[in-house]
């Protein structure tokens, strides 16, 4: 991964140098590098605030993600890359909307995910090559399935206070997701339960695990093999938002679900994947 780290260092150096000048509109700058070109450039007489530091952090995570993609992460770990891109775009929208605490939390989560992805890619590329798919259309179809599942499973996923009961709207999402997953056996799920900050650490961890297990139970009822679902609990240690309002607490009482590509998918030649070095 020396090439990866060198690429990140070079990109960061170029970015830092670019911050000392103010190019004409359309010729460079942070605003030009935003995925949706929504960031406004920092003007010479503009006072710097916390949002500028977060935008810089966002740019660093984007450079990290771009470098991992160039190293082959898209081919070896397509599900992880799709979800990382989703998170990167979400952070950008939060920054544009002035939701600085939300953006800061999501940046922490994104850094952790990218670190895990880098370690996985490090291991794989030490023994194999990450190759692009032979059938690009089939590969893009798989990515669209990941994207649809991710959006289905991470919306309307909140729980009532001190409850593990799944709300009816989310139950409908789970039913649809289970059907899609039955048609796509190369994807598994990792379900993580969360709690708000009310109560002690041990109780919150138990409650959060109960929520993850309840989601697994319903997915199983809807026909998904339980062996394809792993459950985890983070208690109240990773809130989605900071604050103690009822709305924030409700949002933090949730499950977060990752779509995991199985090794069989990664090794399937038409879909790309990794192959042993000669």
């Amino acid at each position: 991964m020396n090439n990866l780290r060198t690429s990140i260092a070079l990109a960061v150096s170029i970015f830092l140098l670019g911050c000392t000048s103010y190019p004409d509109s359309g010729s460079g700058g942070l605003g030009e590098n935003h995925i949706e070109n929504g960031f406004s450039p920092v003007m010479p007489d503009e006072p710097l605030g916390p949002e500028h530091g977060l935008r810089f952090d966002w740019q660093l995570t984007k450079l990290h993600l771009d470098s991992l993609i160039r190293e082959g992460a898209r081919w070896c770990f397509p599900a992880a890359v799709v979800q990382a891109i989703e998170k990167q775009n979400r952070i950008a929208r939060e920054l544009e909307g002035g939701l600085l605490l939300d953006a800061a939390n999501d940046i922490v989560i994104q850094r952790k995910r990218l670190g895990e992805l880098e370690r996985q890619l490090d291991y794989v590329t030490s023994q194999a090559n990450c190759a692009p798919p032979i059938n690009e259309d089939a590969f893009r179809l798989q990515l669209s399935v990941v994207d649809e599942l991710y959006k289905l499973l991470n919306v309307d996923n909140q729980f009532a206070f001190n409850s593990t009961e799944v709300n009816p709207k989310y139950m409908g999402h789970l039913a649809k997701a289970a059907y899609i997953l039955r048609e796509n056996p190369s994807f598994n799920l990792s379900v993580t339960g969360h709690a708000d900050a009310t109560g002690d650490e041990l109780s919150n961890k138990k409650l959060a695990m109960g929520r993850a297990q309840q989601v697994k139970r319903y997915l199983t009822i809807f026909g998904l093999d339980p062996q394809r679902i792993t459950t985890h609990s983070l208690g109240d240690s990773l809130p989605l938002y900071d604050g103690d309002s009822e709305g924030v607490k409700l949002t933090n009482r949730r499950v977060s679900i990752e779509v995991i590509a199985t090794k069989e998918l990664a090794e399937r030649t038409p879909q790309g994947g990794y192959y042993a070095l000669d």
Side-chain angles (χ1 to χ4, degrees), residues 250-261:
L250 173 61
T251 303
N252 288 335
R253 298 193 296 263
R254 71 197 193 281
V255 289
S256 54
I257 301 184
E258 302 292 335
V259 184
I260 310 297

Side-chain angles (χ1 to χ4, degrees), residues 28 67 275:
S67 296
Y275 308 94

Side-chain angles (χ1 to χ4, degrees), residues 213-230:
Q213 290 174 340
Q214 187 76 323
V215 167
K216 178 177 180 176
R217 174 174 171 264
Y218 275 107
L219 286 166
T220 302
I221 289 172
F222 294 136
L224 189 61
D225 183 348
Q227 297 298 317
R228 297 176 61 188
I229 311 164
T230 59

Side-chain angles (χ1 to χ4, degrees), residues 6-16 63 67 70:
T6 302
S7 298
I8 293 176
L10 179 59
V12 170
S13 300
I14 293 171
F15 177 73
L16 288 171
L63 290 170
S67 296
R70 284 195 299 272

